[in-house]
Amino acid sequence: MSELLKRFKGITEDPALSFTQKARYLSLEAENSLPYPELDEETAKALEERVICDMYEGHAPFKPRYVMPDYSVVLEKGSTFLELEPATTLDEAINSLMIAYHHVPSVTNMPVFIGRLDNLLLPYCDEVSDEDLYKKLKLFWRYLDRVLPDAFMHANVGPTDNRVARTIMRIDAELKQIAPNLTFVWDPDISSDAIFSQACESIIECSKPHIANNPLHQPLFDDYGYGVASCYNVLPLCGGASTLTRINLREVARRSKDTADFFENVLPKYIDLNFRLTETRIDHLFNKSGFFESFLVKEGWISRDRFTAMYGIFAMAQCVDELQAKEGRAGKYGHDETANQLGHRISKVLYEAVETRPMEHCWRGKAMLHSQAGLSDDDGCTPGVRIPYGSEPDPVTHVQALAEHHAFYPSGVSEILTLDETIENNPVALEQLVKGAFQLGFREFSANVSNNDLVRITGYMVRLSDIAKFKECGGSRINTTVLGAEAAETGKILERTPRVMSHELAPRYSQ
Amino acid sequence: MNLPLATVSKVLKFSCVDGPGNRLVLFLQGCNFACPTCHNPHTMKLCNDCGDCVPECPTGALTIVQGKVVHDASICDQCDKCLDVCPINANPKVTQYSVDDVLVLLYQNKPFLNGITISGGEATTQLKFIIALFTAIKTDEKLKDLTCFIDSNGYLPEPAWKTILPVTDGVMLDIKAFNNTLHRLLTTRSNERVLATAKLLFDSGKLHELRYLLIPGRTDSDEEIEDLANFVRALDTDTPLRLNTFQHHGVKGEALNWPTMKEPDVERIAEELRSAGLTNVVVPAVYI
Ligand code: SF4
Ligand code: SF4
């Protein structure tokens, strides 16, 4: 039997995987047995050495990584392809969404974005009592978790204070499910204090929602707006991101003689190579895969010219510490002013490089820089610009150390603050922390409260009790549990605090 | 003018357990009680420069300069060996803060803060500093919306309270015991002033929270709990009452032989207090 067939066999016989998980891994293996889109030698070498990384998205990109449909299209106009009439009642609207989600691809084959739900559903709620709204949305929420069990699946609500947003946050806090993940879009000029408080109380309950700072995001997008998907990817609505590639900054620092060499030679080189990798993948998607012939484009759920490319970075902490050591300085990233400023300088250089490089087939002709959360096997590298697990300073110092980075990452910063459970008796403290963070320039805010069973691993949720069960008896209904268990063990994540599971984090079968 | 300085053992920029919202907390060095149950015993006394801790420091952060023990924070690795050997429960790592120093800290962290809390040790042993600081905050355009709180054991006499209350928004007050013999055993002092302080703070609308430390076999007796219920009822049944629990964390000396307080007993006592009519009993979020 060839190696490949052995792998196929191994997957079909792995007792820890459900049959859907097996099917997914089999399809990934099949795709990855194809030759990689042709890369020049230098780029191929950098990829091989994992200085740059394609997130193991697969060898033949035939769908965008993140698809952010404008679901109002299917609700208002129906769908010829899916033989759906326009929705006229809340039941019909929810039903159409449930159908629609099954036809929205992503890197994991499950939808990563299920809509700005309050905008979508409010028009159908006039005749619906509060009690009915609660019952219907609760069933909807249960459906999402059980049928689309991917922790990267992401719903958005806000910034207005409305019945749907309130009811969804209430249900989410009650059910404490892994899926869907939830973002509350906050805007001090639009959101009421009451709904902001509700969001903070819900974080204390279940580490969700994530809060997005609308005044910082909105100006970067057009009137069509944006959505937050997966782990805090802020992307154009009615489009998405073709691909996500990333630079391992630690590896770049290791290949540099000193800080000057890093800035003058080595970083620019890998920035360029990562662009080439991105371009090759985009080319395949746009020019070979036929994806944009899909009914999603024809019916207007998405538009071919609204896809950006996410240009990710990670291991900023290790990169800065490495450069500090090369300069003979002891100060550590997150704790030392010089180290922190070096980090900010790196972010700025990256930002300028991404903003000035023209990119074909990209929304507005360029990629968007992203502070990337990580995979489950990142080998001691810290996600994005985060401070390493277990060594974070108090939450205020933490925010102060990182705030300056946020301006440089228009497609989002995956950041998580760990709060100890004494915050339970004092939600006002959490509110002030969020307000302080936003005032200092944080684009988004996520927190884990340390006694919550439901916790974030690298941006997606896991239940700690599921990880324990998974280790005991080897199996979980939810895909992200596999990743979470892996991330928890290799990423020291539980040292930082608890989290959940995701498909995106397990892009390969790893046995 | 002789501007007061504070002897500070620690500053926190984030605390959600020292009053409403997030607070900058200044822990002042020195206390007028000597509770065996203290979980920060090294905050009790002011250093007398005896020098005993200097040779114990593994990093050379402690030196004697002109008869004074000096601490170099930049090379201290926070091993706390100096605290362990100090014969009088003092701390060589304290810092002197002027009012302006604290104002600068507040400016830097303002977006994150709902207020400031002065804790200890016993905060009110450095009363002049607190009055000067709170007055400065209240008259500063950028800081005046911050609330000013004190965490106290209540031993400060009434006339002194009257000098600080006009610039104070709230006080968290510890009551250690109602039986005065027990109180003396637990603190070395009588409780009359503490109980008088509680009434004074309540009457002036500044009693933010009462705190009561449950110690098994000592302050959790039926009589004590009944006295506690009666005392709170006489103020207002809705007075926030936080039940703290005796734990070994940080404790030095004989109290390490005392049993720690367990969650089920705390819940039972909280229920008893609620059935006695108290409507605002808070139990710990965490048991360490
Ligand atoms: S904690 Fe005390 S003994 Fe330890 S290094 Fe610092 S000063 Fe020295
Ligand atoms: S801290 Fe204690 S041991 Fe050290 S000099 Fe002061 S009194 Fe002596």
Side-chain angles (χ1 to χ4, degrees), chain A residues 442-499:
Chain A
F442 258 47
R443 314 182 80 83
E444 40 236 349
F445 181 97
S446 312
N448 266 338
V449 178
S450 57
N451 69 337
N452 277 346
D453 187 31
L454 199 55
V455 291
R456 296 173 193 279
I457 292 281
T458 69
Y460 56 98
M461 312 293 295
V462 256
R463 267 194 208 120
L464 289 183
S465 49
D466 282 349
I467 295 194
K469 265 188 251 157
F470 179 77
K471 284 199 200 135
E472 264 168 40
C473 59
S476 166
R477 181 177 64 75
I478 299 182
N479 269 301
T480 48
T481 304
V482 186
L483 299 175
E486 211 179 305
E489 302 221 308
T490 62
K492 293 192 183 170
I493 271 154
L494 301 181
E495 268 179 32
R496 171 189 197 130
T497 293
R499 307 343 161 67

Side-chain angles (χ1 to χ4, degrees), chain A residues 169 172-177 201-209 447-449 452-456 461:
Chain A
M169 285 201 282
D172 199 53
E174 276 173 23
L175 297 181
K176 300 182 174 51
Q177 298 172 164
E201 273 162 35
S202 179
I203 291 174
I204 290 173
E205 241 351 271
C206 66
S207 295
K208 287 196 277 177
N448 266 338
V449 178
N452 277 346
D453 187 31
L454 199 55
V455 291
R456 296 173 193 279
M461 312 293 295

Side-chain angles (χ1 to χ4, degrees), chain A residues 31 57 60-65 105-109 242 285 289 291:
Chain A
E31 182 186 342
E57 274 177 10
F62 58 92
K63 56 197 187 302
R65 182 177 182 91
S106 77
V107 62
T108 65
N109 289 322
S242 307
L285 177 71
S289 77
F291 172 80

Side-chain angles (χ1 to χ4, degrees), chain A residues 396-397 400 421-422 426 429 432 436, chain B residues 13 16 19 21 109 111-112 114 286:
Chain A
V396 170
T397 309
Q400 289 166 333
E421 51 213 304
T422 53
N426 194 349
Q432 195 63 38
Chain B
K13 294 197 228 173
C16 51
N109 297 289
F112 298 92
N114 298 89
V286 211

Side-chain angles (χ1 to χ4, degrees), chain A residues 247 267-268 271-272 275 311 346-359 366-367 369:
Chain A
I247 301 180
L267 183 61
I271 287 177
D272 178 52
F275 271 121
Y311 193 99
I346 297 170
S347 286
K348 186 157 184 278
V349 167
L350 288 160
Y351 173 75
E352 283 162 1
V354 174
E355 286 295 302
T356 50
R357 169 96 166 207
M359 293 284 282
K366 58 189 184 188
L369 190 63

